[in-house]
Every structure is written in structure tokens, then in C-alpha cells.
Amino acid sequence: MDTFIKGPSKRDVAGMKAAFGAIGETEVISVLYKTERFGNFLVTGAAHTTVLDDVMVGGLNAAAAKKKAKASDGSEVMQRQPDKDVRAFPAQFDGEFSPQDIEVAQLSHGDLVVASFSQEPYGDFVITGVVTEAENDRSYLMVGPWILQTAQGNAPRLLSIQLVAGNGTHVAPVPTRRGLVEVDGLA
């Protein structure tokens, strides 16, 4: 069930360059990211091209601006370099699951969820991934780099949340709890 969230054992950079080069503005895409801080998470939403021609989905960099490259037949093609955190594109879910509606307050670190968000200019998008808690604040929950809840309540951009599997009942990698990030030596 969870092979989609683990991703391939090796990144197919050449395949991703070509696939990113072929997408158009507002095309719905699915990108699998892998980060140490947030674990693996799948973002599905409309492609958004920045003023620098980078491609984003759900507010996350997916690929750099288009560049000309030579195809194997000698013709010229346009390609985009995938972001370093992109594990797979296009990312396809190859199993089945039946997520259940849940209140954010019922979630804890390591639960596998599907969360939908809305944020301009990215529109509506969905993140499937593992919930992470802050080390010293159990109420501060995130999926990928998006906030689900803080001590003040549910995040305003969160539209809905569903539980796919509780912590310990899935094979998705669970990152450690999120610690404070130091900026210029300050926490």
C-alpha cells in the first residue's frame, strides 16, 4: 500500500527532466518529495510557473526553468532540472487505500494522512504524507512543510484531513520530531 510514499530506490533524473519539460501551466501534477525534516510526501495540484519560469506545486519548488537540451535523435528538446528534494515525477499512486475523516486534534506524530489545502496563487492541492510534531509542542502538527494545527487551532489554509493509517500500521518512513531551526545562531 505505501510503496508510493517511499519512492524509487534511485532517482530517474533524466526521466524527470524530460517529464517536467513537457508540463504546462495549470496542468495537474503529482510530485513525490523526500526530505529529512518532513519525510516523504506526495503533493498533487496545479503546476504554477514562477516569474523565473521555475515550476512549483503546492508552493514547493518542483523544477527549474526550461533549458534546451539535445535528444537522442539529435533534435532539440526543452527540459527542467528537478529540485534536489524531488524523489519521483510523475509520481503515481499504485495501490488502494480508504482514508477516514478525522479531526486534526486526534492525529499524532507518524500518522499517515491525506490533507487538502488552498493557498493563492497555488490554488487547491493535496498532500499525502506522515504527520510530524514539534519536539516541544505536540499541538504543532505538519504534513510536509504545511501546517495542520498549532496551539491556536487548525491552520486557516487546511480544507480537510483524512487518516490513511496510524503510526506503526504503515511502512512509510517516519522522520524524527521537528526540532527548532536555528537562524544565525538564534532559535
Side-chain angles (χ1 to χ4, degrees):
M1 159 177 103
D2 301 281
T3 55
F4 80 99
I5 202 80
K6 288 175 71 177
S9 58
K10 186 175 184 216
R11 282 179 15 133
D12 176 12
V13 176
M16 289 192 291
K17 282 182 178 182
F20 275 122
I23 65 165
E25 177 82 17
T26 72
E27 182 177 335
V28 175
I29 61 174
S30 291
V31 180
L32 179 64
Y33 291 85
K34 180 179 182 178
T35 69
E36 187 174 329
R37 186 169 176 84
F38 303 113
N40 298 3
F41 55 94
L42 182 71
V43 181
T44 301
H48 174 79
T49 307
T50 69
V51 294
L52 299 175
D53 195 37
D54 294 341
V55 171
M56 299 180 84
V57 61
L60 301 173
N61 285 330
K66 284 185 181 177
K67 294 197 182 220
K68 292 179 182 175
K70 293 280 186 199
S72 57
D73 64 2
S75 64
E76 219 171 65
V77 295
M78 298 303 284
Q79 295 185 341
R80 293 178 184 273
Q81 178 70 35
D83 187 81
K84 66 178 178 49
D85 292 335
V86 172
R87 191 74 188 146
F89 176 78
Q92 295 181 332
F93 177 69
D94 59 0
E96 290 185 27
F97 63 87
S98 300
Q100 305 296 314
D101 289 337
I102 192 166
E103 295 296 321
V104 178
Q106 296 174 283
L107 294 171
S108 61
H109 185 81
D111 291 342
L112 184 60
V113 298
V114 176
S116 63
F117 296 89
S118 186
Q119 173 64 45
E120 288 307 319
Y122 313 112
D124 294 351
F125 56 94
V126 175
I127 299 179
T128 305
V130 174
V131 172
T132 59
E133 289 178 356
E135 262 179 8
N136 299 313
D137 186 354
R138 291 194 45 132
S139 67
Y140 187 13
L141 303 177
M142 298 178 77
V143 61
W146 282 87
I147 298 169
L148 296 170
Q149 172 187 281
T150 65
Q152 288 72 43
N154 287 0
R157 293 165 184 85
L158 178 66
L159 299 176
S160 69
I161 186 87
Q162 294 182 304
L163 179 67
V164 175
N167 187 13
T169 65
H170 59 79
V171 297
V174 177
T176 59
R177 284 178 170 73
R178 291 175 285 100
L180 294 175
V181 176
E182 288 190 19
V183 178
D184 294 333
L186 304 173

